[in-house]
Amino acid sequence: MTQTTTSQRPRYLIPVDFVRGALMGMAELVPGVSGGTVALVTGIYDELIKSANHVVQGLRALVTGPERGKRFGAELRSVNWWMVVPVLIGMATVVFTVAGVMHDFVANTPEHARGLFFGMVAASLIVPLQMAPARAKGRSPVWDWVIVVVAAVVAFVLTSFAGGQVVENPALPIVFIAAAVAICALVIPGVSGSFFLLAVGLYAPTLQAVDDRNFAYLGVFMLGAIVGLAAFVKLLHYLLNEHRRTTLLAMAGLMLGSLRALWPWQTIGAADGDGAGALLAPTEPILWPVLLAVLGAVIVLALLGAEKLLQRRETQPAGN
């Protein structure tokens, strides 16, 4: 998907970017759904990774090498702040206002919740496939299938292992480390940061900390997330630029495998913080999970259609 540059980005997109951030924040509250997937669907994934890389490079320039201030300022000026700030505000707004509601929805009606998000992620599979550049001449299509299948198997197996019990009063160093890993999962489509927290028993405590405004816990969590992002985003930026097709195919595979966590019919597990449940054949309730899965797919397709309309408006010559 094409992206506008920082200087070209129309200001009317600020509320649109706020909504994009809100959707990402909502996704990260649900085990099995990745905020990175939402960023892909809404067309801002590349620009977010690029901007995050500029921030990381700027911070590194500030502590190493000559002309630190000049290099730091140059990197920050390259960040697409007109997009990044509304997205972050949208994410924070949702996380701090609907964390409790979202947790109740997932815990009290797990089949309905998983059905909705199953449909959303399944429909989202077309996004990385559309974004992938054409296969290089002489490259066998078998290699592409291998990448997708291996990534899908990895995601399927990892989500199956999410059987951690809830950790009561977790030590802050553990929170720091978990946040550093979870933030890496957040930026990879198909890998859910919240599901990782669920696997290590910190999903419920983290949502509770948000709901209770436990700023000591949240401060340590944010610090860990910043450190994890700084360590990971440069690698991801490199992969998207130098090995784009392979990286996007791997993302598609991860999204496919992550559907295991969102299969509506499971034994008691992921919804209430006890880890992944065993997969079951469809059983009551059936109608609403299926209808919500269809609704989720329709929502994603509508978002994709809206994104294409916005792109046409952004690229249309002035006065037309």
Side-chain angles (χ1 to χ4, degrees):
M1 294 185 182
T2 58
Q3 302 290 344
T4 54
T5 64
T6 305
S7 59
Q8 295 173 332
R9 192 170 185 82
R11 303 299 182 255
Y12 66 78
L13 287 179
I14 290 177
V16 176
D17 290 331
F18 176 88
V19 173
R20 286 164 166 159
L23 291 172
M24 290 176 64
M26 190 174 297
E28 280 303 318
L29 293 174
V30 180
V33 184
S34 168
T37 299
V38 176
L40 264 182
V41 171
T42 56
I44 59 173
Y45 186 78
D46 277 345
E47 194 64 40
L48 279 178
I49 296 301
K50 188 188 304 180
S51 292
N53 186 59
H54 282 304
V55 172
V56 171
Q57 291 292 85
L59 292 175
R60 288 179 177 172
L62 196 59
V63 296
T64 61
E67 298 185 322
R68 299 178 183 180
K70 184 176 180 180
R71 290 165 53 211
F72 174 70
E75 292 291 349
L76 290 192
R77 285 191 295 274
S78 298
V79 175
N80 192 338
W81 293 111
W82 288 103
M83 181 199 68
V84 171
V85 172
V87 167
L88 292 178
I89 292 175
M91 290 182 68
T93 300
V94 165
V95 167
F96 281 100
T97 56
V98 303
V101 174
M102 185 62 67
H103 182 254
D104 289 342
F105 174 53
V106 175
N108 297 332
T109 54
E111 295 87 0
H112 296 65
R114 287 197 292 258
L116 175 66
F117 296 113
F118 185 95
M120 294 181 73
V121 174
S124 301
L125 285 171
I126 65 174
V127 179
L129 298 178
Q130 287 181 336
M131 292 175 63
R135 187 171 62 249
K137 191 174 182 179
R139 172 168 165 161
S140 171
V142 174
W143 176 241
D144 291 346
W145 282 105
V146 169
I147 293 170
V148 173
V149 171
V150 169
V153 170
V154 168
F156 187 94
V157 171
L158 289 178
T159 54
S160 301
F161 285 158
Q165 299 297 314
V166 174
V167 177
E168 300 291 344
N169 300 316
L172 292 182
I174 299 299
V175 173
F176 178 91
I177 295 172
V181 178
I183 195 68
C184 297
L186 182 152
V187 298
I188 303 177
V191 182
S192 168
S194 57
F195 206 82
F196 169 78
L197 293 177
L198 184 66
V200 298
L202 292 181
Y203 174 70
T206 301
L207 282 189
Q208 192 64 48
V210 173
D211 220 21
D212 295 343
R213 307 296 191 267
N214 184 341
F215 292 111
Y217 184 109
L218 296 177
V220 172
F221 191 94
M222 289 179 64
L223 184 61
I226 291 170
V227 171
L229 187 63
F232 180 71
V233 73
K234 186 172 179 63
L235 172 63
L236 186 55
H237 183 258
Y238 167 79
L239 291 174
L240 283 170
N241 280 276
E242 301 299 326
H243 305 281
R244 186 171 182 81
R245 181 174 178 84
T246 298
T247 302
L248 288 168
L249 289 175
M251 288 178 177
L254 291 171
M255 291 166 64
L256 178 62
S258 72
L259 290 175
R260 183 256 180 264
L262 297 172
W263 179 249
W265 302 280
Q266 304 183 27
T267 57
I268 295 175
D272 59 7
D274 289 332
L279 302 183
L280 301 173
T283 184
E284 289 296 332
I286 294 179
L287 179 60
W288 276 108
V290 171
L291 290 177
L292 287 169
V294 173
L295 175 63
V298 169
I299 290 172
V300 168
L301 294 176
L303 286 172
L304 291 174
E307 174 62 21
K308 287 184 178 180
L309 288 175
L310 284 173
Q311 286 181 0
R312 289 198 192 103
R313 181 173 177 179
E314 291 167 19
T315 56
Q316 190 176 34
N320 286 3

